[in-house]
Amino acid sequence: MTGLRRVLVANRGEIAVRIVRACHTAGVEAVAVYSDADEHARWVRMADEALHIGRSSAQKSYLDVEGLLKAAKAAEVDAVHPGYGFLAENSGFARAVRDAGLVFIGPPPEAIDLMGDKATARRTAEAAGVPVVPGSGPCSDQSEAERAAAELGYPLLIKAAAGGGGRGIRPVRDAQELADVLPSAQAEAQSAFGDPTVYLERALPRARHVEVQVLADEHGGVRHLFERDCSVQRRRQKLIEEAPAPQLSEDVRRGLADAAVRLAEHVGYRNAGTVEFLVDEEEGFYFIEMNTRIQVEHPITEEVTGVDLVAEQLRISGGAPVSFDQDSVAVRGAAVELRINAEDPQRGFAPTPGEVTAFQLPGGPGVRFDTWIDVGDRVSPFYDSLLGKLVCWGADREQALARARQALREFHADGIATTAELHRRLLDEPELRHGPVHTTWLEQLLDG
């Protein structure tokens, strides 16, 4: 039992489908919302009720706080699930939901504030005894940035203090590049996040990106569900994720999990969250950020642990404790997730909106495909290009990758270009097959 009766799904796409399914499995009614572009979409048809919330532009629909709250009131829900993206990490939205007398299915707005500002999150991690990448405090002008850079040394990353999801990050190799890039980095931060504040962080170009899934309840229970490796990235956007992280020493594996739990306890966290780290070649690790929401890549954790993360979110939000003890959960086998986007890698990953005229999904043991697409659906230019996530489980990493290669052979889509062919190429790359790779590996491969 979740303690919830009726949930508004304040999102779209495959995550909206995922949440509707989880609600129905838990015996909870799901209310969908949709824009003009999404009127006939799968999650709209699946839900118990669906409400139109505005025009196709995200600003006029899925980012419209007032419109979403009106929909919640009209549908008489008792909770709102924000999914990921859009307003999922917006503390103002979380507060507005709470102030309306509804349950926000996510962390408290205070935790979102604390971990949403990346510079503040770094200081918080340090206070919790979690190692952080050497970096600066907030830099509001050129002179502050130059002083910080001189102390840290190059290469560096300029990061938006309010950023996330890989956005608002600029690499700089020397003082001249810092001077050239800083104004545009600040402008991008202002445009994307409404805050021009940036900070500097030492670049670790050959590090791995490893993250730890945590769940926390209002009774003081904090659990981890081990780690995922998300090092296959293009422009800091993840393409392939694995669980567990391959070839990670047990000391580092335990250290990452302990650090993630320690941080969650320190900030009084609740619900699902992900603590992200960089792991260098010598297997030291450093905190980089905490994502205060469900992650795109959560299915691979579900596959290797057997824990339904969205069901746990519903359960926690209804006032119940996490459903398992730490000692009762373990990693079984290995899983890989491939993000299939409506993009054309041959044209610089340009989005390819249009009608899907054919869509063949793969099958077989250990194969899962989370998607919102049906034949005849249109991929809209207004939103993220994610079509779905191919998730393959195996008894070990080799079997999981083999199943993923076979699944890609079976997958087929017409009417749009996709990243499936790129994934076919990547899974045949010896460096990836033998693993692990670092965060700049893919860009080096594509540039070569």
Side-chain angles (χ1 to χ4, degrees), residues 121-411:
R122 283 173 52 86
R123 294 193 296 270
T124 303
E126 288 181 298
V130 176
V132 301
V133 179
S136 74
C139 298
S140 57
D141 58 36
Q142 187 76 37
S143 61
E144 285 185 351
E146 288 175 352
R147 286 195 297 270
E151 293 178 6
L152 290 168
Y154 294 92
L156 293 167
L157 299 175
I158 304 175
K159 291 192 169 186
R167 300 179 65 193
I169 301 176
R170 301 289 186 88
V172 292
R173 292 167 292 185
D174 52 41
Q176 183 59 55
E177 196 166 23
L178 175 65
D180 293 342
V181 170
L182 184 64
S184 60
Q186 291 175 311
E188 181 183 3
Q190 175 65 47
S191 174
F193 307 109
D195 183 349
T197 307
V198 299
Y199 68 97
L200 305 182
E201 193 173 88
R202 185 175 297 161
L204 301 172
R206 296 188 65 83
R208 298 167 63 184
H209 185 145
V210 181
E211 61 189 29
V212 177
Q213 177 73 58
V214 296
L215 288 168
D217 59 43
E218 64 183 41
H219 307 282
V222 180
R223 310 283 187 267
H224 72 80
L225 285 164
F226 306 97
E227 82 288 342
R228 303 182 286 251
D229 190 309
C230 307
S231 300
V232 182
Q233 303 177 7
R234 175 182 174 272
R235 296 183 179 176
R236 296 178 180 84
Q237 297 297 308
K238 303 165 185 174
L239 272 74
I240 299 176
E241 299 99 359
E242 297 186 55
Q247 298 181 34
L248 199 64
S249 76
E250 287 306 310
D251 285 346
V252 170
R253 201 181 304 276
R254 284 193 298 270
L256 290 168
D258 290 345
V261 169
R262 191 160 64 247
L263 180 61
E265 290 175 338
H266 182 78
V267 301
Y269 198 80
R270 291 203 303 274
N271 217 269
T274 300
V275 186
E276 306 205 351
F277 300 90
L278 290 178
V279 179
D280 71 14
E281 290 182 334
E282 286 73 39
E283 292 202 334
F285 63 85
Y286 306 95
F287 168 83
I288 47 176
E289 66 178 334
M290 184 175 190
N291 288 301
T292 54
R293 52 173 166 79
I294 194 76
Q295 292 276 91
V296 179
E297 57 270 24
H298 76 271
I300 53 175
T301 293
E302 295 180 329
E303 294 301 313
V304 298
T305 63
V307 174
D308 183 327
L309 286 168
V310 181
E312 290 294 326
Q313 286 193 288
L314 297 173
R315 178 184 174 87
I316 292 167
S317 297
V322 177
S323 68
F324 58 90
D325 295 327
Q326 190 64 66
D327 291 342
S328 68
V329 64
V331 171
R332 183 181 68 91
V336 59
E337 176 179 293
L338 313 178
R339 300 193 191 190
I340 308 297
N341 293 332
E343 297 174 357
D344 188 349
Q346 300 300 315
R347 296 192 299 117
F349 291 83
T352 59
E355 182 179 343
V356 179
T357 56
F359 200 62
Q360 177 178 297
L361 295 182
V367 176
R368 165 179 170 181
F369 201 102
D370 285 12
T371 187
W372 61 276
I373 287 290
D374 290 315
V375 173
D377 284 342
R378 295 193 65 85
V379 177
S380 171
F382 295 101
Y383 315 116
D384 183 88
S385 63
L386 182 67
L387 294 178
K389 305 176 307 196
L390 173 59
V391 181
C392 295
W393 177 89
D396 53 29
R397 183 175 187 263
E398 183 178 359
Q399 186 181 55
L401 291 174
R403 286 176 169 173
R405 284 190 288 273
Q406 175 58 32
L408 286 169
R409 295 186 193 103
E410 296 179 23
F411 174 79

Side-chain angles (χ1 to χ4, degrees), residues 47-65:
D48 298 284
E49 183 180 354
L51 299 175
H52 177 255
I53 53 166
R55 299 168 62 181
S56 297
S57 164
Q59 292 290 341
K60 301 291 187 180
S61 52
Y62 301 105
L63 290 171
D64 181 359
V65 172

Side-chain angles (χ1 to χ4, degrees), residues 340-341 408 411 418-425:
I340 308 297
N341 293 332
L408 286 169
F411 174 79
T418 77
T419 53
E421 187 57 43
L422 172 64
H423 284 300
R424 294 183 185 104
R425 173 191 170 189

